[in-house]
Amino acid sequence: MRRGQVFFSMAAIVAAWSAGAMSPASAEKLVLGNEGSYPPFSMVAASGQLTGFEPDLAREMCKRMNVQCEIVVMDFKGLIPALLQKKLDAVATQTKPLPERKAKVLFGRPVLFNPDSYVVPADKDYAFTKEGLKGVRIGLQRGSAQAKYVTETFGDAVQVVFYDNPDQIRLDLASGRLDMSLGPKISWTNEFLSKPAGKNWKFAGGDLWTGGGEAGSSWIARKDSQALLDRMNQSIDSIIRDCTFTKLRKQYMEVELLPEEAACR
């Protein structure tokens, strides 16, 4: 009788497998958050498809981890709250390691080094002090490391105008509704200074690391997800080592994002 029971159990397993109960659809699935409005790192095409370097990198990471991934687009300011509420398993948008963020989430290995700089009119030479920037209108992304840096450095000497995404900031710069902004040099070069709308603008104030003084930006996971973050790091490390990282990056920008890319030139 026991043999019959064993045979029946095995038959049930085979039947379940054939029916799809143990098909790839039941494989591990991760939900990743992405900003979706930070070209060339992430953007939503007219077709509605999420494109850009970070979504491509995330998809390659998931492939190597042998997991199914769904990438959810939301405003940057909502990513960490959604992660903490377990609506996301991880965030695949470059995030700077501010102390208050490190107290809440885990930071993975850097996915890029991208210093910030002020974007100002080409005919202006500001002194980056409270007195030198008094009354200046500066556009910043809500919830960003740059916004924290400016408010802590200049207080109410400047007029901070908050936006949900960088595209809105660039539009108001070009139209004269803002005097300056502060943001990552790679993004601002690709999306503004190198385009007709940015021909009368320049970088100023030197390179700044607004992420609590730490260089580099990373993807993040919850404090209870160290094992997941370790797997993500290992996968990204392999993508960098075999130069797939560089191949993906070159589809969107020429500048190298990590020192390890030198081996792939």
Side-chain angles (χ1 to χ4, degrees):
M1 185 66 179
R2 289 180 180 175
R3 288 183 181 177
Q5 288 176 335
V6 171
F7 177 81
F8 177 79
S9 299
M10 291 301 295
I13 291 173
V14 171
W17 185 281
S18 300
M22 292 186 178
S23 69
S26 62
E28 181 183 3
K29 181 178 178 179
L30 298 177
V31 180
L32 308 177
N34 182 272
E35 182 177 4
S37 59
Y38 205 58
F41 295 101
S42 65
M43 50 271 190
V44 178
S47 63
Q49 180 182 4
L50 178 64
T51 65
F53 171 69
E54 287 188 286
D56 284 1
L57 179 61
R59 293 179 183 114
E60 180 65 23
M61 176 190 74
C62 292
K63 177 182 175 182
R64 298 194 185 201
M65 291 171 62
N66 196 30
V67 299
Q68 295 182 358
C69 285
E70 175 188 358
I71 305 179
V72 178
V73 175
M74 62 181 65
D75 286 339
F76 182 83
K77 67 179 184 297
L79 288 169
I80 291 180
L83 179 65
L84 296 178
Q85 294 165 13
K86 298 189 176 182
K87 295 177 181 178
L88 304 173
D89 295 300
V91 170
T93 281
Q94 54 186 283
T95 307
K96 294 188 175 183
L98 298 176
E100 59 268 31
R101 292 175 181 167
K102 293 178 73 175
K104 296 178 181 178
V105 300
L106 297 174
F107 279 74
R109 60 107 61 231
V111 293
L112 76 156
F113 290 91
N114 188 5
D116 291 306
S117 192
Y118 291 97
V119 179
V120 305
D123 60 355
K124 295 286 187 180
D125 290 304
Y126 290 104
F128 291 92
T129 63
K130 288 185 177 181
E131 186 62 31
L133 296 184
K134 189 170 183 178
V136 164
R137 298 165 300 172
I138 180 167
L140 300 168
Q141 188 170 2
R142 189 175 283 106
S144 67
Q146 295 85 2
K148 182 177 186 295
Y149 177 86
V150 168
T151 54
E152 289 182 350
T153 303
F154 302 109
D156 58 5
V158 296
Q159 297 180 32
V160 177
V161 184
F162 291 107
Y163 295 82
D164 288 328
N165 63 68
D167 287 340
Q168 297 169 345
I169 299 175
R170 288 188 277 268
L171 286 172
D172 276 4
L173 279 179
S175 66
R177 287 190 286 269
L178 292 171
D179 299 307
M180 67 170 62
S181 186
L182 172 64
K185 293 183 74 174
I186 293 173
S187 300
W188 278 93
T189 297
N190 287 335
E191 298 303 316
F192 190 66
L193 295 182
S194 64
K195 295 185 175 182
K199 66 179 181 179
N200 295 320
W201 296 79
K202 67 180 180 181
F203 286 125
D207 290 353
L208 302 171
W209 295 105
T210 59
E214 292 188 42
S217 297
S218 307
W219 292 354
I220 59 177
R222 285 190 304 277
K223 290 279 189 177
D224 62 1
S225 300
Q226 183 65 61
L228 171 61
L229 192 64
D230 289 343
R231 291 167 60 201
M232 292 170 60
N233 286 339
Q234 291 167 8
S235 178
I236 293 174
D237 283 342
S238 73
I239 293 170
I240 294 168
R241 280 196 305 270
D242 68 12
C243 296
T244 301
F245 183 97
T246 298
K247 181 179 178 181
L248 294 174
R249 186 264 301 163
K250 282 185 175 180
Q251 296 178 39
Y252 299 98
M253 65 200 97
E254 289 300 319
V255 63
E256 294 177 357
L257 304 180
L258 294 170
E260 297 96 316
E261 285 199 82
C264 300
R265 291 172 187 162

